[in-house]
Amino acid sequence: MKYESSISLLRSLIAIPSFSREEKDAADFFQQHIEAMGVKTCRKGNNIWAYAGDIDKQKKTVLLNSHIDTVKPVSSWTRDPFTPQIESGRLYGLGSNDAGASLVSLLQTFMILKEKEQPYNLIFSCSAEEEVSGKNGCSAMMEELPKIDLAVVGEPTGMQLAVAEKGLLVLDCTAHGVSGHAARNEGDNAIYHALKDMEWFRTYQFSKVSELTGPVKMSVTIVNAGTLHNVVPDKCTFTVDVRVNECYTNMQVLDEIRKHVSCDITPRSTDKNSSSIPLDHPFVKCGQALGLTCFGSPTSSDQMRIPYTSIKVGPGQSSRSHSADEYIELDEIAQGIETYVRLLDGLVF
């Protein structure tokens, strides 16, 4: 199966900086590229999507989705992150692995599948702001799309099947005290109140542990308090990163947390829930028949913003994402396109 055009497209995308919320130039180029292939596109902000023909309401609908934005390059890059270089069968460049390879592979898959009638409606989409969970990304695009029966989300999984994905809660917490002079027995130190709650976050174990994604994981990641060395602080703020397994909704986890801590808690959002697909779903069964393995993913993706049955699978390796000298193996793109087509061509579910 030819894939040279996908490599060429990915090289062009790497050369266009596409940081989250700054994707316009890359989105413009990508949209023009799709339309030059003879496919009409739709757009909202920097999100782009296309239909493989008219929607047949008697059929189910499959969405192929990946994202166009990237994180900013870390300082330890030894190459120009925006100069695509091919060496020893690897394509180096920012976004090559996360998630450019999935994006161009899914587009090529869409072009192949649309050439013959499928037992489902087919939509391809490219979303913005994935790396920052932005409100103008996939969530905004989903408002414009019809009901989706299966979403295939392209992220680097080694083309293995991520059948479950943890959700995300980011909690901004505030512990309160009373200010006073540190030299005297005055005040009520907010830091000490915060420490009690932080210790609870460190040690508490939710009872339901997933066989696929493991336990709910809570990590205190930012702490701020105090103004002067001789003033007892009356406020201590800290941030908690909570990765929620598919046994709970975000609201269930948040309610449980509030029963145990004394600090004020403000979630940045509660809509980034965990996701999963039944292991007996025909897509999963097809993947297993091809020798693919199922696993639970600890990292988040646009699956959190797609309120339908979804699965995460794509070329590349998660360990390369957000790293210096990011790369994708050229063979991974070829294998990705071939595997996507084998999974989807004629799929009945």
Side-chain angles (χ1 to χ4, degrees), residues 97-112:
N97 179 77
D98 182 18
S102 292
L103 184 65
V104 299
S105 296
L106 283 172
L107 176 60
Q108 184 62 30
T109 300
F110 172 83
M111 298 302 297
I112 293 169

Side-chain angles (χ1 to χ4, degrees), residues 210-248:
S210 166
E211 294 183 2
L212 290 166
T213 60
V216 174
K217 187 176 187 301
M218 301 187 290
S219 304
V220 177
T221 54
I222 302 172
V223 181
N224 288 288
T227 54
L228 296 169
H229 75 88
N230 58 353
V231 177
V232 173
D234 60 2
K235 183 172 73 171
C236 178
T237 62
F238 60 98
T239 300
V240 186
D241 179 290
V242 185
R243 304 290 168 151
V244 181
N245 66 25
E246 72 277 14
C247 302
Y248 298 92

Side-chain angles (χ1 to χ4, degrees), residues 137-178:
C138 188
S139 296
M141 180 173 59
M142 293 307 297
E143 297 173 355
E144 308 298 324
L145 297 181
K147 176 182 177 293
I148 305 299
D149 296 284
L150 173 65
V152 179
V153 178
E155 290 281 347
T157 69
M159 287 310 295
Q160 304 307 308
L161 306 177
V163 294
E165 178 185 275
K166 281 189 170 179
L168 173 64
L169 273 175
V170 179
L171 307 179
D172 291 317
C173 307
T174 303
H176 299 278
V178 178

Side-chain angles (χ1 to χ4, degrees), residues 119-132:
Y120 50 80
N121 302 304
L122 182 63
I123 306 172
F124 168 81
S125 71
C126 163
S127 51
E129 298 189 9
E130 189 272 347
E131 296 288 4
V132 294

